[in-house]
Amino acid sequence: SLGTARIYAGSVVIDGDRLTLSERTVEVVESPPERAASRRSDRFSRGRDPFRDFDRLFDRNRRRQPRERPAPRLFLEAEVEPKRPVVGQQVVYRLYLYFDVNVRNATPSELPSFKGFWTRVIPQPERTTQERTVRDGREIYRAILLERALFPRRAGTLEIEPVEATMTALVSDSSPFGSLMPRMRDIESTSNGVTVDVQPLPDPAPDGFDGLVGQLKVSLDIDRRELEVGEAATLSLELSGRGHLQSVPAPELGDIEGFQVMPPQQQSEENLRGDLVEGRRLWKWVLVPKRPGVHVVPGIDLPFYDPRRREYRVASTESVELTVRGASRVVDGAQDVKLHPVRSTVLPSPSSGSFFSSAWRNGLVALPLLLGLLVVALRGRGGGAGRAEGKRRLKQVLAAAGGEDKPRQAAALVEDAWREYLEERWGVARGTPTPQWAEALAKAGAPDDAAAELVQLADDLHYLRYAPKLSSTDGMRDEMIARSKRLARSL
């Protein structure tokens, strides 16, 4: 019935707990209010889906695009330091690998030729060292893939080619499980090329400067300060410091009054301190006194350019004083030094006593001394016969170099043979730097075109000796030998 309905209070016991319901009243009417009816009509009216809100929810999820992952960054970049060195100053070339993914390996397809530079490999540690950096506002890692110490041989713009490499890396894709199961991919990249603007050494250069660049020092020593006439002493000059010292010629001692000076022996070594090349050159001369007295070996000055201070400096040694005792056994003039045609050693005058017993006791019977005297004798022949002999030896060395399996050694043989021939034929000192050959040959009256071509040949020989990549040098070796034979006919 219409009106007020009453629900009386009651109670119930559940598991020993009594629950009580209080009395309630409700109002019973003929029809529901218009608002409530309208709401029910909207929700359950004909053609209206009551679950449409759920469909819209699911449709929105289906339309949502997967979140895009940033593309992996994996690329090469080359750098040089410093960018504007002077001729002969060390430059460090580095090829960096930048990455923000897990890189398994990186394999360059071809290395730069580094033409125009002397090169020195800087070995990398077995475990690659990586460092964190920021590029374009994003964090990224980098590691050195390749490192070289370079020494520019001439002024001007020198180009270092780009490097192509294939990297294998674990890369995530854009799938829902891409980050959990990355795939191994090969990614190719090419580095930038690098330009080195090599500056000439400043003018004027000091007297005696021979192109030496670095931070250097010299020391002079002699193994004995007192000796008898006819005995020998060994004079040692050591040049050491930062720089490329492998091509430094032996310093000129000149004439030391009262002594016979033998051609020097030389030793060299090179080490790395970090990425800096440190070298050492040692020259040893055998000195044989000809008469008694107190003699002075003058000090030696070696001018060099210090790129750190940007100035020329001179590394100098003190003079060395020697006391020679005994009577004159070797006199100046025709009997100064006699060469036996078979033994090729120094012979004393008939009244000199037992020379060989003294020489043996003092270590004079040594191969360097005998060879040095033999060279002096051969160079003393002079004339056309000497020139013909020099050309014959040059041809013999070229023939031997053609059969040499190692191109570096072949190039060294050819260059040394040319130095010997130029000294005998044209009077060009053996230690003359190759860029100065043309000037020296011009002064001696050699053809200008042949002299210029020989300087270019020497430059190519240096490249063949020090090139870091030796995959195609057999052809280069044969070409150098052919050019040498042609030039030998002109010079």
Side-chain angles (χ1 to χ4, degrees):
S1 61
L2 300 177
T4 302
R6 177 179 294 175
I7 301 174
Y8 293 96
S11 63
V12 63
V13 178
I14 301 176
D15 293 336
D17 294 331
R18 180 178 294 276
L19 301 177
T20 301
L21 179 65
S22 61
E23 184 176 311
R24 300 289 181 89
T25 61
V26 296
E27 191 71 24
V28 181
V29 296
E30 285 190 18
S31 62
E34 182 179 354
R35 184 177 180 182
S38 175
R39 184 184 301 118
R40 289 195 299 271
S41 175
D42 288 343
R43 181 169 297 179
F44 298 102
S45 62
R46 185 177 180 180
R48 183 75 173 179
D49 186 355
F51 300 102
R52 62 178 181 174
D53 293 337
F54 293 97
D55 288 341
R56 284 199 301 266
L57 177 63
F58 287 120
D59 286 343
R60 184 166 59 249
N61 288 338
R62 282 196 296 268
R63 288 195 302 267
R64 181 180 298 169
Q65 297 297 326
R67 185 178 63 181
E68 293 186 3
R69 301 179 184 274
R73 293 191 295 173
L74 188 61
F75 59 92
L76 302 173
E77 187 172 279
E79 297 180 1
V80 292
E81 182 185 2
K83 294 181 173 60
R84 300 182 76 243
V86 297
V87 176
Q89 179 182 356
Q90 179 179 335
V91 175
V92 178
Y93 170 90
R94 296 186 182 94
L95 179 65
Y96 284 103
L97 172 64
Y98 284 82
F99 57 97
D100 59 2
V101 293
N102 188 348
V103 181
R104 294 299 178 89
N105 60 65
T107 307
S109 59
E110 189 173 7
L111 299 182
S113 63
F114 299 112
K115 191 165 186 179
F117 297 92
W118 282 294
T119 64
R120 175 70 157 85
V121 175
I122 301 178
Q124 298 302 304
E126 293 184 3
R127 294 182 60 87
T128 303
T129 303
Q130 62 186 36
E131 61 179 352
R132 184 182 301 175
T133 184
V134 175
R135 289 292 298 270
D136 302 327
R138 289 173 55 186
E139 186 178 86
I140 194 170
Y141 291 89
R142 73 175 185 177
I144 298 176
L145 193 62
L146 180 72
E147 194 169 17
R148 294 287 187 271
L150 308 177
F151 296 88
R153 296 160 52 191
R154 59 177 175 82
T157 300
L158 299 181
E159 301 285 344
I160 301 177
E161 305 92 332
V163 178
E164 297 180 359
T166 301
M167 285 78 71
T168 303
L170 285 172
V171 180
S172 302
D173 56 28
S174 58
S175 67
F177 301 101
S179 60
L180 299 178
M181 293 182 294
R183 296 181 301 169
M184 195 76 71
R185 291 176 53 191
D186 288 340
I187 300 176
E188 295 183 352
S189 179
T190 302
S191 77
N192 56 305
V194 179
T195 299
V196 183
D197 187 13
V198 184
Q199 305 299 306
L201 291 167
D203 289 327
D207 293 338
F209 178 71
D210 205 18
L212 195 56
V213 177
Q215 291 89 47
L216 307 167
K217 61 180 181 180
V218 294
S219 62
L220 187 67
D221 193 20
I222 196 163
D223 62 344
R224 53 197 309 184
R225 300 294 181 109
E226 298 183 0
L227 65 163
E228 299 288 331
V229 171
E231 294 179 347
T234 301
L235 183 70
S236 302
L237 176 69
E238 181 179 291
L239 171 67
S240 60
R242 293 179 179 176
H244 178 69
L245 308 183
Q246 301 308 304
S247 60
V248 177
E252 294 289 342
L253 284 185
D255 294 331
I256 301 178
E257 186 178 357
F259 284 86
Q260 179 72 40
V261 181
M262 302 298 117
Q265 292 180 305
Q266 57 185 1
Q267 301 173 7
S268 63
E269 63 182 28
E270 202 172 63
N271 299 298
L272 283 169
R273 186 179 297 274
D275 56 11
L276 295 175
V277 176
E278 295 186 346
R280 173 179 173 270
R281 294 276 282 176
L282 179 64
W283 296 277
K284 293 185 176 183
W285 293 265
V286 174
L287 310 181
V288 181
K290 298 185 289 186
R291 52 181 176 268
V294 177
H295 304 275
V296 176
V297 178
I300 294 177
D301 295 332
L302 286 179
F304 66 95
Y305 182 78
D306 187 340
R308 184 174 56 185
R309 296 188 180 185
R310 298 183 180 180
E311 64 181 10
Y312 289 103
R313 301 174 60 194
V314 179
S316 302
T317 68
E318 300 291 335
S319 59
V320 175
E321 188 175 277
L322 292 173
T323 301
V324 181
R325 299 187 178 89
S328 296
R329 296 180 179 181
V330 184
V331 297
D332 293 332
Q335 296 180 347
D336 189 3
V337 176
K338 297 180 179 179
L339 295 174
H340 191 280
V342 176
R343 291 179 299 201
S344 296
T345 186
V346 176
L347 295 179
S349 61
S351 60
S352 62
S354 178
F355 172 79
F356 279 103
S357 63
S358 174
W360 185 269
R361 183 173 62 255
N362 292 284
L364 288 180
V365 183
L367 181 60
L369 177 59
L370 301 181
L371 292 178
L373 289 171
L374 180 58
V375 171
V376 172
L378 291 174
R379 292 178 183 173
R381 293 177 182 177
R387 289 194 296 270
E389 177 66 17
K391 182 169 288 189
R392 185 184 65 82
R393 288 200 303 272
L394 175 61
K395 291 181 179 179
Q396 288 178 343
V397 173
L398 293 177
E404 175 60 54
D405 293 334
K406 298 179 179 180
R408 291 185 189 274
Q409 295 184 7
L413 286 173
V414 173
E415 182 178 336
D416 290 343
W418 271 111
R419 288 185 179 276
E420 180 180 358
Y421 177 70
L422 292 179
E423 186 173 41
E424 293 185 355
R425 172 66 179 89
W426 296 99
V428 179
R430 187 184 292 252
T432 302
T434 54
Q436 299 177 14
W437 281 3
E439 181 181 356
L441 286 170
K443 292 180 179 178
D448 292 341
D449 54 347
E453 187 177 352
L454 181 60
V455 171
Q456 181 60 51
L457 172 66
D459 186 68
D460 293 338
L461 286 170
H462 271 287
Y463 173 68
L464 182 58
R465 292 180 65 177
Y466 299 106
K469 180 184 62 177
L470 295 174
S471 59
S472 60
T473 49
D474 287 342
M476 294 177 62
R477 174 199 58 197
D478 297 340
E479 180 190 355
M480 300 300 116
I481 294 173
R483 289 166 61 187
S484 293
K485 290 179 179 179
R486 186 178 68 254
L487 278 172
R489 292 191 292 269
S490 301
L491 294 170

